Structure formats: C-alpha cells, structure tokens
C-alpha cells in the first residue's frame, strides 16, 4: 500500500504546534460509556468531491502557506478543518517490536511507536458484514466532569474463511541470511516459522524460496506443495547466515520469482522475513520497489513483511510494505510465530478491499476540537478521499481497523457528533463502494472505566500507553501505574491473554521510566489538531 498523501491540509501548524503538547498534557479524564450507531448505506459512487457532511467553510480570500488569508491587506485565520481522512492500516509491527524491546529491558524509540498499531493489535468485537466490504461501528466515551471525549471508529471485514474454503496461495518467501541474522532469535526463528507454515498450507498451495545477503539466490522455484514438503524443509534447514544485507537484491529477485511462478486464480504474495538492516545496494524503500513496480501493478502481487531481531529496521520495513500494497508484523518468539504463520497468514491471504480509505466528518455545531490518535503517515488529503487514483490500504477477511479520536465537545453540545465513511475498491473489478456510520452525543455519555464497553477500554489503554511511550499524553490519560492496573483488571474481565501481556508491558515501561508527571494545560484553535 503506497501512501501518496499529496498536500495534506495542516491549518495552524505554526501557530499552535507547541501549544498542542501542552494542551494534551493537561486534559481532563476521559470517561464515558460505550454506544454504537452503525450505518448501512453502501454505494458504488465514482464521483469526486468531498464527503457530504460538515467540512471547512468556504472563503473568498487567498490562502498563504500557513493556511491564513489576506483580505484587504489584513491577515485572517483560515477556517477550521472538520474533516479527517486517512488510509486504512492493519500493521501491528510497532506493537510487537515494542513488546520485544521492553522485554529486553529497554524503552522503544519514540519514532518506532505508532499508536494505531498498538490499538489494532487487540480484538475489538465489532459486528462483521455477511459479504464483502465493511461494517462501520462508531461509539465513544465522555469525561464525567469535562468536555473531552474518546470516539472510536471501528471497521470490520467478513470473518476469515476456514482453511479449505479460501483460494489457493502462491507464496514467495524472501529470507534475509545476512550476518546480522546470526543473532539468536533471528534466522532460527525464521526457519521455525517457515516449518510451521509448511505444515499449515494445503496441497494445492505453492511456495518458492529466495535468500539474500550481499546477493540474492533462488533456492526453490515456485513448487506445488503436494508431496514436496520434505524438499521445502530441506531448503529451509540449509539456510545459514553470511555477509551483508542487500534488501534490494532480495526483494527484486523475490518479485521475479513471483512473476515467473504466478498462479492464476491464487493469492500471489511475496513474504519478506528480515531484520531490515539494509547496508548494501539500494537502501531507500521507494527506489527498491520502483524497480519492480510493474510486477506489483500488472500481477497484483502484494508484499507482507515479517520483522525479527532486537535491532530492527522498522522504518524501512514499514515503507516497503506500504509501497508494496501489503502490511507488516513483528515476531519475537515461537509463540508469536505460531500466531502469525498458523493462525493469521493463511486466513488473511485473500484481499477484501483495495485502496481503502476512511473519512470522518465532525459536526462543527457540537465539536470544538478533535485529534486523530496515530495514523500520522497514513493521512490523505481530504479532497482525495474519492480520488481512486490515490492509494489507500489493502485489507483482507478477518481484519478490523480502529481509529481513536480525542474530541472536545462544545459546551452543552447535543445531537450529531460525527459521520464516518469508508471507501474501498473491489479487488477484482476495481468498482468503488462506500459504507458509513454516525455517532451522537448520547453515545458518549457514560463512564468509560466502569461501563460495559470492555473492548473500548482496551483500545483506550493501548492508545494511552503508546502516547506515553512517545513522550506525549492524551486528555484524561492516567499514569502508567494506574494504566497497568486497569489493564490487569481488563485482562481478568475479558479473559484475554493478550491484554494480560499488555499490562505486563505497561508495568515494565513504568519501572523503566520511574513514574511520569503531569503537564499543564493550554489553549488551541478550533477544528483538527495536528
């Protein structure tokens, strides 16, 4: 999924960039109950233009670079932006890598922490559609003594097919065998992962195997599994680490093999397994994938990235999979490898939606300010929402995508708060479709922590935690100690082991940080907070 965001509107950036951090540091407690309003309108609308909902007010002046206008020689502020548009994202690598880093006794670099990937690492319990497309679920929680709310936009595809009902797969594995992969937990974990997947794939699935260090080599051309599982395991077991890391050579050879072995009617995918520490050849993700662009476009071959290692090239792997119309995850141990290669990858090979984007229109009558939590490198220009030439995200069956917003309501606000619309292209026909849902003030009024919306609470904990790791704080976010306690209670209430592990991570971070203090408060203009 390549993120061609174009020129994204960022009003007031210079005016209050510093004030936002102060504002978000001193916000009030986010509390409220969970309520949901799900729309059922679906269209195949090819028209351009903005979502027919509250948006920026028109003006007759000429805007300058700051988004302000010159009118009769006087500089005026630009109208507030009440639209938020982003490409869908199902990546989870940021969360997995943070978990590994904390377990090793360190704090993740703030630049590697992406809140949306923390939130999307947990089950949300959304209602799923019967066929292709999405359900749109919108709910939230409101502060008991304040005007800040947490609004959750949840998108869900149909359930993943059972093993025997999915289309066949044609997978090209591109395995990093450079010297850095000799570290325990890297190449040996990759080998174990491929052994697990070989057992899980069907007889009518096909695989090929490419390795790379300073150069790339094909160990196995595209081969139907059937009676060849032993042959595949022999090739995997023979891999040994050596030399430097030429990711470009590996990806290029992998796509060549995927094209040569392309299976009509199958889900054709390149799977890159690497620590992504490129040090030889081309090291820029855009340049690497530009050289195999025709293979992506003409054959629809997507790229799935699996990161490994305590030192991990997060930025390169994420950019490669974004441009490769795929997604990325991270594995640190055999348990995670089993989850990815047994539970997830085979079921998620099929695509439900291409170039999927979401646009949330906030109602200026009830909303004073809002901020999308995360998705910084997924933002799309508002006017490009219905421009199907602008790339979005690729989403498969069984996936959910969650976006959380910090929303400040106007005093005594009542009524409509926001309309969320998701737009996607059919993977085969490229026909566009849309579905939408709405939420009002009545759905964000009860207590978050004492309410019935346990999954909303889990999403809030994950987002608060991610922001804390980035050195920021959302309105109403408790300290890490309290956040860990809430996560432990949620793990017990949901009987979800992944939430228990989240609680452990928060406790580790709290000890490493030695506790965290509160910030002050500040003022910011209306509309979207960047």
């Amino acid at each position: 999924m390549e993120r061609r965001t174009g020129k994204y509107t960022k009003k007031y950036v210079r005016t209050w960039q510093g004030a936002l951090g102060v504002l978000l540091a001193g916000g009030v407690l986010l509390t409220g109950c969970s309520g949901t309003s799900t729309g059922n309108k679906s269209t195949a609308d090819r028209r351009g233009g903005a979502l027919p909902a509250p948006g920026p007010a028109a003006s007759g002046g000429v805007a300058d670079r700051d988004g302000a206008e010159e009118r009769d020689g006087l500089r005026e502020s630009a109208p507030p932006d009440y639209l938020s548009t982003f490409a869908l994202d199902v990546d989870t690598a940021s969360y997995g890598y943070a978990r590994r880093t904390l377990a090793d006794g360190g704090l993740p670099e703030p630049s590697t922490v992406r809140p949306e990937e923390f939130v999307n690492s947990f089950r949300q319990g959304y209602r799923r559609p019967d066929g292709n497309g999405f359900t749109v679920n919108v709910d939230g929680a409101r502060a008991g003594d304040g005007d800040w709310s947490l609004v959750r936009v949840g998108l869900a595809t149909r359930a993943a097919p059972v093993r025997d009902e999915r289309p066949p797969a044609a997978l090209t594995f591109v395995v990093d065998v450079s010297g850095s992969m000799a570290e325990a937990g890297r190449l040996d974990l990759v080998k174990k992962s491929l052994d697990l997947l070989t057992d899980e794939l069907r007889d009518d699935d096909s695989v090929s195997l490419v390795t790379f260090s300073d150069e790339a080599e094909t160990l196995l051309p595209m081969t139907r599994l059937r009676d060849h599982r032993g042959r595949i395991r022999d090739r995997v077991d023979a891999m040994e680490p050596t030399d430097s890391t030429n990711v470009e050579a590996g990806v290029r050879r992998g796509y060549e093999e995927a094209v040569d072995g392309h299976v009509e009617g199958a889900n054709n995918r390149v799977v890159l397994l690497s620590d992504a520490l490129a040090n030889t050849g081309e090291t820029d993700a855009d340049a690497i994938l530009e050289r195999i662009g025709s293979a992506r476009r003409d054959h629809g071959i997507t790229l799935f990235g699996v990161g490994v290692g305590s030192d991990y090239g997060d930025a390169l792997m994420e950019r490669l999979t974004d441009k490769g119309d795929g997604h990325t995850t991270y594995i640190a141990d055999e348990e995670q490898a089993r989850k990815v290669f047994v539970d997830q990858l085979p079921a998620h090979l099929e695509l439900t939606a291409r170039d999927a984007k979401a646009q949330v229109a906030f109602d200026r009558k009830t909303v004073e300010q809002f901020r999308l939590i995360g998705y910084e490198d997924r933002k799309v220009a508002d006017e490009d929402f219905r421009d199907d030439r602008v790339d979005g995200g690729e989403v498969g069956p069984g996936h959910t995508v969650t976006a959380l917003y910090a929303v400040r309501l106007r005093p005594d606000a009542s009524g409509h708060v926001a309309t969320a619309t998701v737009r996607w292209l059919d993977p085969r026909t490229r026909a566009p479709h849309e579905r939408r849902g709405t939420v009002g003030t009545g759905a964000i009024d009860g207590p978050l922590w004492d309410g019935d919306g346990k999954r909303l609470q889990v999403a809030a904990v994950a987002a608060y935690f991610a922001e804390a790791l980035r050195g920021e704080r959302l309105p109403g976010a408790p300290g890490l100690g309290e956040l860990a306690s809430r996560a432990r209670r949620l793990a017990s209430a949901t009987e979800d082991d992944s939430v228990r592990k989240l609680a452990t991570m928060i406790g580790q971070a709290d000890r490493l940080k030695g506790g965290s203090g509160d910030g002050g408060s500040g003022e910011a203009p209306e509309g979207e907070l960047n």
Side-chain angles (χ1 to χ4, degrees), residues 99-111:
R99 179 181 167 191
R100 166 65 182 267
T101 303
L102 287 163
D104 288 346
L107 289 168
E109 287 292 325
S111 63

Side-chain angles (χ1 to χ4, degrees), residues 171-177 190 194 207-213 215-222 235 239 247 249-258 270-273:
L171 307 177
T172 299
F173 295 102
V174 178
V175 180
D176 185 349
V177 294
V190 168
L194 293 180
V207 301
S208 60
L209 182 62
V210 170
T211 60
F212 69 92
S213 52
E215 296 180 348
E217 178 184 6
T218 299
L219 298 188
L220 183 74
M222 192 64 72
R235 298 293 193 277
M239 296 187 301
V247 175
V251 172
R252 189 173 64 246
R253 175 65 69 87
Y255 270 88
E256 290 171 355
E257 290 295 330
V270 173
V271 182
L272 174 63
L273 301 102

Side-chain angles (χ1 to χ4, degrees), residues 298-321:
D298 298 343
H299 298 278
I301 299 171
T302 57
L303 178 64
F304 177 48
V306 181
V308 296
S310 56
D311 293 321
Y312 169 55
D314 171 77
L316 176 61
M317 183 69 88
E318 186 198 19
R319 185 61 179 157
L320 279 171
T321 55

Side-chain angles (χ1 to χ4, degrees), residues 321-340:
T321 55
D322 285 352
K323 285 185 67 65
D325 294 332
H327 63 282
T328 183
T329 191
Y330 178 91
I331 56 174
D333 51 39
E334 185 174 333
E335 179 185 0
Q336 290 177 321
R338 183 174 296 278
K339 180 179 179 180
V340 169

Side-chain angles (χ1 to χ4, degrees), residues 4 85-88 134 155 354-359 380-381 384-393 421-425 433 435:
R4 294 196 309 243
T85 309
F86 59 95
L88 300 199
F134 294 86
L155 309 172
R354 281 193 179 275
D355 292 325
K357 311 183 193 88
Q359 185 169 82
V380 174
D384 288 338
F385 177 59
R386 289 194 174 91
D387 186 345
D388 296 328
R389 298 167 299 178
V390 175
D391 288 345
T421 305
V422 59
R423 181 179 177 89
W424 73 96
L425 303 183
H433 300 274
R435 194 170 292 273

Side-chain angles (χ1 to χ4, degrees), residues 453-473:
K454 303 302 181 187
R455 288 297 166 184
L456 174 60
Q457 295 172 35
V458 171
V461 169
Y464 291 156
F465 179 42
E467 289 291 89
L469 291 176
R470 299 205 297 184
E472 302 178 14
R473 190 170 182 179

Side-chain angles (χ1 to χ4, degrees), residues 18-334:
L20 173 60
V22 177
L23 172 67
L24 295 180
V28 295
L29 179 65
L30 287 174
T31 55
C33 71
S34 172
T36 303
S37 176
T38 303
N40 59 4
K41 180 178 180 180
S42 179
T43 68
D45 186 358
R46 294 181 180 271
R47 295 171 296 173
L51 181 68
S59 62
V62 178
D64 67 11
R65 292 180 181 178
D66 292 322
E69 298 174 354
E70 291 289 334
R71 190 187 301 272
D72 299 327
L74 299 177
R75 192 170 184 273
E76 298 181 356
S77 296
D81 182 3
Y82 278 83
L83 290 175
S84 173
T85 309
F86 59 95
L88 300 199
D89 179 29
V90 296
D91 289 356
T92 59
S94 176
Y95 178 76
Y97 185 45
R99 179 181 167 191
R100 166 65 182 267
T101 303
L102 287 163
D104 288 346
L107 289 168
E109 287 292 325
S111 63
T112 69
V113 177
R114 294 180 289 277
E116 69 275 16
E117 297 186 24
F118 277 53
V119 173
N120 285 325
S121 295
F122 297 91
R123 292 189 294 109
Q124 300 294 327
Y126 302 135
R127 182 180 63 83
R128 295 186 180 275
D130 295 330
N132 287 333
F134 294 86
T135 56
V136 182
N137 307 267
V138 194
D139 61 4
R142 185 170 182 181
D145 58 354
D147 50 6
W148 279 98
S149 301
L150 192 68
V151 172
R152 177 176 63 164
V153 177
L155 309 172
T157 58
R158 61 179 167 83
V162 297
R163 182 176 182 270
D164 294 334
E165 291 180 359
R166 65 167 174 83
L171 307 177
T172 299
F173 295 102
V174 178
V175 180
D176 185 349
V177 294
S178 62
S180 61
M181 294 291 287
E183 177 194 279
R186 296 196 187 192
L187 187 56
D188 54 342
L189 183 57
V190 168
K191 289 182 177 182
K192 181 63 178 178
S193 299
L194 293 180
D195 283 342
L196 289 170
L197 186 60
T198 300
D199 289 336
E200 188 66 20
L201 292 175
R202 301 191 316 230
D203 286 350
D204 61 343
D205 294 327
S206 303
V207 301
S208 60
L209 182 62
V210 170
T211 60
F212 69 92
S213 52
D214 55 343
E215 296 180 348
E217 178 184 6
T218 299
L219 298 188
L220 183 74
M222 192 64 72
T223 302
R224 190 70 60 90
L225 263 74
R226 289 179 181 161
D227 299 324
H228 296 291
R229 284 182 168 82
R231 181 184 174 196
I232 294 169
R233 289 194 179 90
D234 289 342
R235 298 293 193 277
V236 170
D237 292 342
M239 296 187 301
E240 295 293 338
T242 181
D243 298 328
S244 53
T245 311
N246 191 338
V247 175
E248 175 204 0
V251 172
R252 189 173 64 246
R253 175 65 69 87
Y255 270 88
E256 290 171 355
E257 290 295 330
V259 170
D260 289 344
H262 186 270
V263 178
E264 197 67 32
N267 293 312
N268 292 266
R269 182 168 294 198
V270 173
V271 182
L272 174 63
L273 301 102
S274 174
D275 58 19
L277 299 175
N279 54 26
T280 303
E282 180 60 68
T283 59
D284 178 73
D286 291 14
I288 291 173
L289 284 175
E290 185 65 31
R291 299 180 182 181
I292 48 86
S294 61
R296 296 188 294 118
R297 292 188 297 269
D298 298 343
H299 298 278
I301 299 171
T302 57
L303 178 64
F304 177 48
V306 181
V308 296
S310 56
D311 293 321
Y312 169 55
D314 171 77
L316 176 61
M317 183 69 88
E318 186 198 19
R319 185 61 179 157
L320 279 171
T321 55
D322 285 352
K323 285 185 67 65
D325 294 332
H327 63 282
T328 183
T329 191
Y330 178 91
I331 56 174
D333 51 39
E334 185 174 333

